[in-house]
DNA sequence: GTGCACTTCGTTTTT
DNA sequence: CGAAGTGCAC
């Protein structure tokens, strides 16, 4: 397929800063990948001089795949395609000592951050979740605005800001002591570093000769500053964005960065991509009508030359179980009649917990599925345990990791012992693990506890040394054997089956560790700390054939569906309170929810099916939600509501096997 | 110190 | 309703 004139222009304009306003499905990924190929093939850029940045791991992975299939695996070697956070991580790693940290630092996720701040502020806030969360938000906002603790304290002398500022400073000190960074640090630290250090800045500007940024409307202040510093005076960059798909404002994203770019770079070239290659006319029309209800930064009119397409459907279900059942029945029917594959179907939802009921129903019907994002893998206890062990093994200053595993499996280090150790560590101003290694141990603890502690520290130190020496995964397998972790799983699981699955998850994690350690054609080998950092960012490479080829129904949130497309899409839970989400209704932020709906609708290529439940359980209570206002904003001629009884998954399955296509059609009332 | 029964609390979205 | 946290009996 040839590029259209606008796309072509976007690809070939390389002499200065370039902003591509790309509507949904207008081929922006094609533009980016083609541009990368163009830079390499026609403009003598080396792949290693080009960096492309996205926001989600999913998008980065997709782009990596697309580039390597366009350019060829070998030719794309060295190309930097990553999320903002991974890019930041890589910059930090190169200058870790300059920044005052030690190699092998831990990455704190928001749970770790919460635990630490909750702990620190205990005297003031007494564990009040709302207070701590407000504090976290303040700190995060300051980091996004590149404000260091001393600057905050200078600016605010009184009030809540001064109080939060005090904790911000305290928090930063403790993070240093833990040799830990949080997610915001991954952007803030490189940005501040590049801003302050001319030599380092020039080094990176030499290294990254061309920068491409995807989903530019989602950048926040620090990310935009990072972009500016990386491109420098040369300003060789292309950013691609669409204000209608800005769905991360809660994370500090500033769609106004699109406008700001125009001010900061007067020579900015603006190119609009308005032809949609993805969706049927009907779907695109509905999306356009919906989004017209929002104000716009830039005017653009998307059009499609594809066929008219089927009407959009709304399945109305009794309750959430029935919703899952009906959606799956409809999915099976569509699949059978169109002779499509499972992977041609996506089930999209506003919040993660909605996947649960569907997961159950899919399992019941033996339909292969894949849930991306959310908690499914990294939320599991055994995976969290192993991640904590890995963190502790690579960074013994990481108190949070230690706390998670210190008594898992149980090894006789209980609450009392831990309290004593904590007190001692605090007194001496050392990490917990260091306290556990202290020679005065026997003076503080009872003989039994001291023995357990010693055995534990010895094991950790020994394993840590062995890991540094190599053959890591074998070491890890030995390690969990010594821990008797498998026995622990079997002892605590309700059934052997569950323990078996848990053990398999541990194995899966180790396989990832191994793959990342080894590296492959696209990814350089990593050290153990790097692997742990990667895994914390959930940024693992695709394990080849495994995923892309697997025939599975795709389940994901609307947020993580951005940038993807599917022949058939189910957008479930189209109800007031869910989409738009209740908190957005309360905060009068409907526009972002509408963009979210817009993103969902524009994922669909051929068939889009909504679903609503008339009754839903919410924290044990029954509620009767009303259908989402967005459904009523769509042109009614293009929507078919199915209030009447639709078949459930059992009926579809039976008729399919017993009577074939004719039987299926008869029960579908066709 | 461990394990179980009981209570409480909560649900956006991601790195 | 389900996860995570608390308190209490061994």
């Amino acid at each position: 397929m040839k590029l259209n004139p606008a796309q072509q222009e976007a690809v070939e304009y390389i002499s200065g800063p370039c902003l591509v306003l790309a509507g949904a499905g207008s081929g922006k990924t094609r533009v980016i990948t083609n541009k990368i190929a163009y830079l390499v093939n026609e403009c003598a850029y080396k792949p290693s001089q080009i960096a492309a940045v996205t926001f989600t791991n999913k998008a980065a992975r997709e782009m990596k795949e697309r580039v390597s299939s366009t350019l060829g695996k070998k030719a794309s070697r060295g190309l930097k395609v990553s999320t903002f956070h991974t890019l930041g991580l890589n910059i930090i790693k190169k200058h870790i000592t300059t920044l005052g940290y030690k190699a092998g630092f831990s990455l704190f996720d928001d749970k770790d951050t919460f635990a630490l701040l909750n702990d620190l502020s205990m005297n003031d806030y007494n564990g009040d979740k709302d207070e701590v969360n407000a504090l976290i938000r303040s700190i995060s906002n300051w980091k996004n605005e590149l404000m260091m603790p001393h600057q905050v304290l200078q600016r605010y002398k009184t009030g809540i800001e001064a109080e939060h500022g005090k904790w911000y400073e305290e928090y930063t000190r403790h993070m240093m002591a833990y040799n830990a960074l949080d997610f915001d640090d991954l952007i803030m630290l490189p940005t501040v570093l590049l801003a302050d250090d001319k030599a380092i800045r020039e080094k990176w500007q030499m290294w990254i000769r061309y920068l491409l940024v995807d989903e530019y409307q989602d950048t926040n202040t620090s990310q935009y500053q990072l972009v500016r510093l990386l491109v420098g005076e040369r300003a060789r960059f292309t950013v691609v964005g669409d204000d209608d798909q800005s769905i991360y404002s809660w994370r500090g994203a500033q769609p106004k960065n699109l406008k700001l770019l125009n001010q900061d770079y007067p020579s900015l070239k603006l190119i609009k991509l308005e032809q949609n290659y993805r969706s049927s006319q009907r779907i695109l029309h509905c999306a356009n009508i919906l989004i017209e209800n929002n104000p716009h930064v830039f005017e653009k009119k998307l059009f499609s030359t594809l066929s008219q397409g089927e009407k959009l459907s709304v399945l109305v279900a009794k309750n959430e179980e029935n919703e899952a059942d009906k959606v799956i029945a409809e999915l099976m029917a569509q699949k059978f009649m169109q002779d499509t594959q499972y992977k041609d179907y996506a089930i999209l939802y506003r919040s993660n917990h909605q996947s649960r009921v569907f997961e159950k129903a899919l399992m019941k019907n033996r339909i292969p599925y894949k849930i991306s994002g959310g908690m499914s893998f990294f939320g599991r206890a055994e995976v969290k345990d192993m991640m904590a062990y890995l963190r502790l093994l690579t960074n013994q200053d990481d108190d949070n990791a230690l706390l998670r595993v210190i008594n898992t499996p149980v090894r006789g280090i209980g609450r009392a012992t831990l309290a004593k150790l904590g007190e001692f560590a605090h007194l001496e101003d050392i990490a917990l693990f260091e306290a556990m290694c202290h020679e005065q141990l026997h003076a503080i603890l009872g003989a039994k506890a001291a023995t357990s502690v010693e055995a534990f520290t010895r094991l950790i130190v020994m394993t840590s040394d062995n890991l540094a020496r190599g053959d890591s995964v074998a070491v890890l397998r030995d390690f969990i054997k010594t821990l008797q972790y498998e026995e622990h799983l079997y002892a605590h699981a309700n059934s052997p089956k569950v323990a078996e699955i848990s053990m398999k998850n541990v194995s899966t994690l180790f396989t990832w560790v191994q793959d990342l350690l080894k590296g492959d054609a696209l990814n350089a080998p990593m050290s153990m700390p790097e692997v742990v950092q990667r895994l914390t960012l959930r940024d693992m490479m695709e394990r080849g054939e495994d995923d892309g080829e697997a025939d599975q129904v795709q389940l994901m949130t609307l947020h993580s569906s951005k940038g993807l497309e599917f022949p058939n899409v189910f957008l479930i839970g189209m109800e007031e309170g869910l989409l738009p989400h209740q908190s957005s209704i309360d905060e009068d932020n409907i526009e972002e929810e509408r963009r979210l709906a817009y993103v969902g609708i524009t994922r669909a290529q051929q068939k889009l099916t909504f679903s609503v439940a008339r009754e839903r359980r919410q924290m044990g209570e029954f509620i009767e939600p009303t259908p989402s206002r967005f459904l009523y904003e769509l042109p009614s001629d293009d929507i078919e509501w199915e209030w009447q009884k639709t078949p459930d998954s059992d009926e579809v399955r039976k008729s399919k096997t017993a009577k074939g296509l004719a039987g299926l059609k008869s029960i579908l009332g066709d």
Side-chain angles (χ1 to χ4, degrees), chain A residues 626-638:
Chain A
T626 49
S628 169
R629 68 190 73 186
F630 301 142
L631 286 176
Y632 300 115
E633 289 178 7
L634 301 174
S636 55
D637 289 351
D638 293 314

Side-chain angles (χ1 to χ4, degrees), chain A residues 378 387 509 513 516 531-538 540:
Chain A
F378 284 92
M387 286 300 296
L509 186 67
V513 170
L516 289 169
V531 169
V532 181
Q533 288 153 11
R534 266 304 161 89
L535 289 170
T536 309
L537 280 178
R538 312 210 172 161
M540 35 268 163

Side-chain angles (χ1 to χ4, degrees), chain A residues 58 61-62 65 331 342-343 345-349 355 358-359 362-363 367-374 376-377 512 538 540-557 560 564 566:
Chain A
K58 212 171 179 41
R61 226 176 296 145
E62 273 254 322
E65 268 163 33
L331 189 155
Y342 284 122
K343 67 173 174 191
Y345 294 83
I347 299 174
L348 308 181
Y349 35 82
S355 69
F358 278 77
E359 198 172 2
L362 285 161
M363 235 185 282
I367 294 175
Y369 64 91
K370 184 187 172 184
I371 299 182
S372 24
S376 42
F377 186 75
W512 281 345
R538 312 210 172 161
M540 35 268 163
M541 64 180 162
E542 210 52 57
R543 302 224 309 96
E545 59 282 38
D546 178 277
D547 267 324
E549 297 304 311
D551 187 23
Q552 298 168 317
V553 175
Q554 305 290 312
L555 279 78
M556 68 191 81
T557 62
S560 50
L564 305 177
F566 309 92

Side-chain angles (χ1 to χ4, degrees), chain A residues 135-303:
Chain A
L135 172 59
I136 289 174
R137 223 169 308 127
S138 292
I139 293 177
S140 178
N141 287 340
W142 281 325
K143 289 193 177 188
N144 287 337
E145 284 158 27
L146 303 172
M147 299 256 295
M148 308 294 265
H150 67 270
Q151 294 168 309
V152 171
L153 289 173
Q154 220 160 48
R155 183 183 302 183
Y156 303 105
K157 297 293 183 198
T158 57
I160 188 80
E161 289 92 351
E163 190 179 310
H164 282 174
K166 185 187 74 180
W167 292 125
Y168 178 23
E169 190 185 37
E170 189 90 335
Y171 171 71
T172 306
R173 241 205 324 273
H174 278 258
M175 291 295 278
M176 268 308 188
Y178 289 163
N179 196 27
L181 304 176
D182 65 23
F183 286 144
D184 292 324
D185 289 334
L186 295 183
I187 312 296
M188 181 190 73
L189 292 178
T191 307
V192 171
L193 181 70
L194 291 183
D196 291 350
D197 193 316
K198 187 157 176 263
I200 293 178
R201 180 168 68 242
E202 283 172 351
K203 208 159 133 192
W204 279 93
Q205 288 174 355
M206 279 302 284
W207 205 14
I208 298 177
R209 304 292 285 173
Y210 203 99
L211 182 68
L212 302 101
V213 182
D214 194 12
E215 311 286 9
Y216 179 74
Q217 74 282 352
D218 289 334
T219 50
N220 60 33
T221 304
S222 56
Q223 287 160 338
Y224 178 43
Q225 287 310 317
L226 184 56
V227 168
R228 295 201 59 183
L229 290 163
L230 284 172
V231 299
E233 295 285 308
R234 283 180 69 247
R236 296 301 156 91
F237 68 85
T238 297
V239 306
V240 183
D242 177 7
D243 49 313
D244 286 333
Q245 294 186 70
S246 160
I247 55 177
Y248 285 102
S249 69
W250 48 274
R251 199 168 76 173
Q254 310 243 24
K256 71 165 192 219
N257 281 348
L258 280 168
K259 274 212 163 138
L260 206 57
L261 204 62
N262 229 332
Q263 289 168 27
D264 291 342
Y265 298 94
S267 64
L268 185 75
K269 174 89 177 169
L270 188 120
I271 298 166
K272 290 185 188 178
L273 305 182
E274 296 179 299
Q275 179 167 4
N276 173 294
Y277 292 96
R278 177 186 295 154
S279 306
S280 70
Q281 301 243 2
R282 183 115 55 184
I283 290 168
L284 192 64
H285 179 232
C286 286
N288 281 337
I289 298 279
L290 178 81
I291 207 64
E292 262 176 33
N293 292 299
N294 273 6
H296 285 83
V297 183
F298 295 98
E299 281 310 316
K300 70 179 151 25
K301 31 188 190 311
L302 276 180
F303 65 96

Side-chain angles (χ1 to χ4, degrees), chain A residues 30-91:
Chain A
R30 266 191 87 210
V31 166
I32 295 177
T33 49
N34 274 279
K35 188 152 194 169
I36 292 171
Y38 183 78
L39 288 165
V40 172
N41 293 334
E42 313 290 331
C43 314
Y45 277 90
K46 291 195 200 107
S48 61
Q49 295 174 321
I50 303 170
V53 182
T54 65
F55 276 83
T56 62
N57 292 313
K58 212 171 179 41
R61 226 176 296 145
E62 273 254 322
M63 192 176 294
K64 223 181 255 181
E65 268 163 33
R66 292 245 217 139
V67 173
S68 81
S69 74
T70 309
L71 257 178
K73 267 207 168 109
K74 250 190 259 150
S76 56
R77 192 193 296 267
L79 184 75
K80 294 183 260 295
V81 182
S82 67
T83 61
F84 259 108
H85 288 84
T86 304
L87 175 66
L89 177 66
N90 289 333
I91 296 176

Side-chain angles (χ1 to χ4, degrees), chain A residues 91-103 105 181:
Chain A
I91 296 176
I92 288 172
K93 267 183 345 208
K94 283 246 153 51
H95 311 286
I96 189 67
T97 42
T98 313
L99 289 163
Y101 290 84
K102 294 179 277 182
F105 54 89
L181 304 176

Side-chain angles (χ1 to χ4, degrees), chain A residues 331-345:
Chain A
L331 189 155
M332 289 195 292
Q334 284 182 18
K335 176 173 187 288
F336 188 60
M337 292 206 280
Q338 302 172 20
D339 194 27
T340 42
Q341 291 183 284
Y342 284 122
K343 67 173 174 191
D344 297 331
Y345 294 83

